[in-house]
Amino acid sequence: PAHMAETTEAPLWNENEPARVESWRLHILLEAGYPVHLAERIAGSEVDLHGAVELITRGCNPTTAAEILL
């Protein structure tokens, strides 16, 4: 039983890792002020998160920021 737990936990962790990262990215983007539909697109992309947040903190409109980033 202990051996089975090891083999089932490791693959689940690896499979969920991208989803965890995307979820964390989504949270940061929403906190920064992006509306949900844009935050989801940016979170799922390769866009630099710090750059995305910086645009907003510098006063950029979220829609314009998304157009620049994506």
Side-chain angles (χ1 to χ4, degrees), residues 14-63:
N14 294 335
E15 284 170 26
N16 288 335
E17 193 58 21
R20 277 176 212 244
V21 171
E22 191 171 323
S23 174
W24 173 78
R25 284 170 57 91
L26 179 62
H27 176 76
I28 299 295
L29 292 162
L30 292 171
E31 290 279 305
Y34 282 93
V36 175
H37 70 284
L38 293 177
E40 286 174 342
R41 285 184 56 204
I42 296 167
S45 72
E46 297 295 315
V47 166
D48 177 64
L49 193 63
H50 298 290
V53 171
E54 190 173 341
L55 282 172
I56 299 299
T57 58
R58 289 183 174 201
C60 189
N61 176 291
T63 305

Side-chain angles (χ1 to χ4, degrees), residues 1-13:
H3 176 71
M4 280 179 65
E6 273 180 41
T7 55
T8 53
E9 281 172 29
L12 286 176
W13 171 261

